[in-house]
Amino acid sequence: MKSIIALACLLQCAAGFKFSLTARDYKCFHEELPHDYEFAGNWKATSGYSQFIDIKITNPDGNVIFEEKAKDESEFFIHTTHSGDHTVCFYNRLASGVPFSPGMSRDITFKLNEGASAHNYDTVARVDHLKPIEVNLRMMEDTVRSIHAEYQYFKEREHVMRETSESTNSRAMWITLTSMISFFLFGMWQVSHLKKYFREKKLI
């Protein structure tokens, strides 16, 4: 049982980043996620004089699905309703009236979890009063659901790519056929024109 859970958890994604964000600058992370999928994150920034960190998350349609302003740290949990690129952006905003000077920046530590790893199962067990075996079963259920969502997403992507490839091949075939007919007709015209020219010059 434990080996199965460990293997399943390896299939889920967890990533950590640490970066410096200059005042009045922003940094974005893009994650390609399937529909009906869960991802969560938490971040923390070091102190910075008159600098406020804003965070904004948008879905593939560009709609804001999470936003917080003037935070030093926070966390989020999102259940996707659209498949495609989801964007997480951090912006280091200066307080009104504060002039910018070189060296103004804040270091940010950002951790992103996807799929089953987006859940804190210690909290789930405490809130739902679950036994260890029940927590393991919940973890496996979430993992399987996440893997299925990813499978469906990439299956849809493969279908779209195949249709695009078939459409491209079809267009290429018609372009080639049209080019061949054009060259044939042009060749026939050249032959006819040359015959007429030679007859007028009494060369044939």
Side-chain angles (χ1 to χ4, degrees):
M1 172 81 68
K2 291 183 178 180
S3 61
I4 295 175
I5 294 173
L7 177 61
C9 287
L10 287 175
L11 298 175
Q12 304 304 301
C13 298
F17 308 92
K18 187 172 183 179
F19 57 95
S20 180
L21 191 58
T22 305
R24 299 193 306 192
D25 199 3
Y26 66 91
K27 186 174 184 64
C28 295
F29 298 86
H30 303 276
E31 288 292 322
E32 188 176 6
L33 303 172
H35 164 73
D36 193 24
Y37 195 72
E38 295 165 338
F39 75 106
N42 58 77
W43 63 276
K44 185 175 183 179
T46 57
S47 60
Y49 170 72
S50 297
Q51 300 171 65
F52 304 105
I53 302 298
D54 301 336
I55 179 173
K56 180 187 293 185
I57 303 176
T58 55
N59 65 14
D61 293 334
N63 297 322
V64 177
I65 54 178
F66 179 85
E67 183 175 20
E68 286 186 333
K69 294 181 179 293
K71 295 285 186 177
D72 293 325
E73 61 180 302
S74 73
E75 57 185 27
F76 58 84
F77 182 91
I78 293 174
H79 193 106
T80 64
T81 56
H82 296 71
S83 59
D85 280 340
H86 289 70
T87 304
V88 182
C89 288
F90 294 90
Y91 177 62
N92 188 357
R93 175 168 50 89
L94 274 178
S96 178
V98 176
F100 172 80
S101 62
M104 297 183 78
S105 66
R106 299 184 70 176
D107 293 331
I108 298 176
T109 303
F110 175 43
K111 185 177 181 182
L112 183 65
N113 298 294
E114 301 176 12
S117 61
H119 295 270
N120 185 330
Y121 288 99
D122 290 335
T123 302
V124 172
R126 185 171 62 255
V127 172
D128 295 343
H129 307 289
L130 300 179
K131 298 177 180 179
I133 185 65
E134 293 174 320
V135 174
N136 290 338
L137 290 173
R138 177 74 66 85
M139 187 184 302
M140 291 182 65
E141 180 184 353
D142 292 338
T143 301
V144 170
R145 187 171 61 251
S146 298
I147 293 173
H148 177 70
E150 291 179 355
Y151 170 76
Q152 288 295 118
Y153 174 64
F154 287 112
K155 185 178 179 180
E156 292 172 2
R157 285 288 304 274
E158 188 272 336
H159 178 68
V160 171
M161 291 176 66
R162 185 172 64 250
E163 286 187 337
T164 302
S165 176
E166 291 174 354
S167 176
T168 302
N169 291 338
S170 177
R171 287 197 295 269
M173 181 188 69
W174 282 109
I175 291 173
T176 302
L177 183 60
T178 302
S179 299
M180 290 176 64
I181 294 174
S182 299
F183 283 128
F184 175 76
L185 294 175
F186 180 70
M188 293 294 291
W189 176 81
Q190 277 190 321
V191 170
S192 175
H193 178 72
L194 289 172
K195 281 184 178 181
K196 182 179 179 182
Y197 174 79
F198 289 145
R199 285 195 184 98
E200 289 177 350
K201 297 296 182 180
K202 298 182 179 180
L203 297 176
I204 58 174

